Amino acid sequence: MTRHSVAERRRLAAVVLGLALLASPAIRNHDSFPLSTYPIYASARPREATFVTARGERADGSVRRLSMEVIARTDDPLIASSRVADAVAGGRAGELCAEIAARSPQDVVAVVVVRERHDVVDAARGDESLLSREELARCWTSP
Amino acid sequence: MLDVAVIDRWLMAPAPAARLAVFRIAIGVFSFGYLVVRFPVMWSMGDEARVAWEPAGVLWWLSDPLPRWVLHTVVLLSIALAAVFAAGVAFRLIGPAFAVALLFVTTYRSSGGQLLWFDDLLVLHTIVIGSSHAGDALRPGRRGRGRREDDHARYGWPLHIAALVTVVTYALAGVAKLRIGGAGWLDGNSLRNHLAYSATRLRVLGGSPSPLAGPMMDVGWLFTPVAVATLLLELGAPLVLVAPRLRVPWVVLVWCMHAAIASTMFVVFPYPLSLVAFAPLFRLEQLLPAARNEVAAPPAAAGP
């Protein structure tokens, strides 16, 4: 074997190792960063979906829509949905509710953390889409 | 059978120092702009104690979130390093340093309970280019040498690896759709539901969905061909390495795919949308006809 071919084989081994590293999350089915399985939009998503979110209530009982910044202190819906879903899954719905209440606008007197099921196609059209709603936590803002 | 010599010829094919330098500048300028535009988000890192802290990647060992002052320091350092990375100054030191800083900042941001896929390719490219001789040309103090005979394998392999990383990541995205979604992903309903899901998620979380999302629900016939085309684009990505004629149409179509995602779902992948992600597939030095003659000779110590 020539010296040159040894170098070639070493470089090839490095490339193969690099490719194996890139593909390792897919092989192990374990997503990470920056080596990923790239699962975004990869699921066969059904038409109905469940969301955890929060909404405000005014003194007259009317619903006050809360911003993403108030709900989850982010402008990224991926992070926002993850934060509220993780908090509820971790049994911290009440704690989340209190945090949101502390950030809520002045006309909000109560915050409700809810789990809602929607027909997402109807929701995207702007039509009535709510299939079910479950109240997970309720808290009041400071006067 | 694997032809070692053919693969090695591809990997070690020489390239001009200017081509690698232009890619370095593109990554540095993009990163600087990205970190500055997203500065409020980066600056707010450090509140993870209140949410599920799930250290990802190279931060797997970090059991607790870091103090804010540490994060603020690294964010500011990353922005400064991005600028120096683009300039190419002291690249042997700055290249790896910026790669590590960007890896840290983006990994930390993905450790707040939700992995983010927007920065993967940028970070991988930065690691490859930061580890190369990308600072040998187009940097202050290296002008006017006038040498054109600077094509060398050391300027070629980082670009070839970066191009390989680009196409492999797209191919993996295609594999994920087949593995996770299966054949059901191709019937179009799944893609339509993804779009609708993004719009609904924005609506229920207090955001505003794209005005295009609603009308798109009424053109359901469109989603099956778009789903098939998406899968073909992703799985077929490696072909552009062996068929250069496919590069421009592939990049145009992939860019259109990202533009469609951004305009209908408000989910923005800035790195591919900026086109920097695809830059290593092209002869970037042609963007700099005047600068081409100013490429400096590499230092003797950097020889093969």
Side-chain angles (χ1 to χ4, degrees), chain B residues 258-282:
Chain B
H258 284 292
I261 292 170
S263 59
T264 60
M265 303 166 87
F266 283 175
V267 175
V268 178
F269 286 79
Y271 191 53
L273 278 171
S274 73
L275 293 174
V276 179
F278 311 110
L281 292 166
F282 299 100

Side-chain angles (χ1 to χ4, degrees), chain A residues 12 15, chain B residues 2-12:
Chain A
L12 177 69
V15 170
Chain B
L2 204 62
D3 192 328
V4 176
V6 169
I7 294 172
D8 197 64
R9 273 201 299 277
W10 167 79
L11 177 66
M12 301 306 286

Side-chain angles (χ1 to χ4, degrees), chain B:
Chain B
M1 186 176 168
L2 204 62
D3 192 328
V4 176
V6 169
I7 294 172
D8 197 64
R9 273 201 299 277
W10 167 79
L11 177 66
M12 301 306 286
R19 187 180 302 172
L20 182 58
V22 171
F23 189 41
R24 176 205 84 219
I25 293 168
I27 287 178
V29 169
F30 174 86
S31 300
F32 181 83
Y34 181 60
L35 291 169
V36 167
V37 168
R38 299 299 286 163
F39 183 77
V41 173
M42 304 295 177
W43 197 251
S44 70
M45 291 195 306
D47 295 333
E48 289 76 9
R50 297 184 213 169
V51 298
W53 169 250
E54 293 176 25
V58 294
L59 297 182
W60 60 270
W61 51 272
L62 199 59
S63 56
D64 293 306
L66 291 168
R68 273 190 155 213
W69 69 266
V70 174
L71 300 169
H72 287 177
T73 303
V74 179
V75 168
L76 291 174
L77 186 66
S78 298
I79 293 172
L81 285 172
V84 186
F85 183 97
V89 177
F91 199 78
R92 291 286 182 87
L93 174 69
I94 297 298
F98 176 59
V100 170
L102 186 66
L103 176 66
F104 177 88
V105 168
T106 51
T107 304
Y108 197 95
R109 196 168 162 238
S110 266
S111 298
Q114 174 62 56
L115 287 170
L116 301 170
W117 300 284
F118 311 109
D119 304 328
D120 291 311
L121 191 51
L122 168 65
V123 171
L124 293 172
H125 277 174
T126 304
I127 291 170
V128 172
I129 301 307
S131 312
S132 74
H133 289 82
D136 283 359
L138 301 177
R139 66 177 166 89
R142 300 291 295 176
R143 297 167 61 88
R145 296 282 295 271
R147 286 186 56 171
R148 292 177 59 91
E149 62 279 14
D150 62 338
D151 291 22
H152 197 282
R154 65 174 161 261
Y155 306 128
W157 72 257
L159 291 161
H160 303 144
I161 292 293
L164 183 64
V165 169
T166 296
V167 300
V168 168
T169 55
Y170 277 95
L172 286 171
V175 170
K177 289 177 178 63
L178 289 180
R179 187 170 54 84
I180 301 171
W185 199 88
L186 288 169
D187 72 6
N189 287 333
S190 187
L191 191 56
R192 180 202 61 185
N193 294 344
H194 274 293
L195 198 162
Y197 178 90
S198 289
T200 309
R201 182 175 58 189
L202 269 169
R203 196 184 298 277
V204 301
L205 285 168
S208 299
S210 165
L212 297 177
M216 287 296 291
M217 296 301 105
D218 297 324
V219 285
W221 58 268
L222 190 63
F223 288 98
T224 298
V226 168
V228 173
T230 298
L231 201 60
L232 288 175
L233 274 177
E234 292 182 339
L235 291 175
L239 286 177
V240 304
L241 293 183
V242 293
R245 285 183 183 181
L246 292 177
R247 290 177 185 179
V248 169
W250 182 78
V251 169
V252 168
L253 290 170
V254 171
W255 187 89
C256 287
M257 177 182 79
H258 284 292
I261 292 170
S263 59
T264 60
M265 303 166 87
F266 283 175
V267 175
V268 178
F269 286 79
Y271 191 53
L273 278 171
S274 73
L275 293 174
V276 179
F278 311 110
L281 292 166
F282 299 100
R283 297 174 188 272
L284 300 173
E285 72 280 11
Q286 292 177 352
L287 296 171
L288 302 165
R292 182 65 177 81
N293 290 330
E294 296 177 353
V295 171

Side-chain angles (χ1 to χ4, degrees), chain A residues 17-32:
Chain A
L17 185 66
L19 284 173
L21 262 176
L22 268 180
S24 61
I27 295 166
R28 296 184 296 132
N29 194 22
H30 174 75
D31 200 16
S32 188

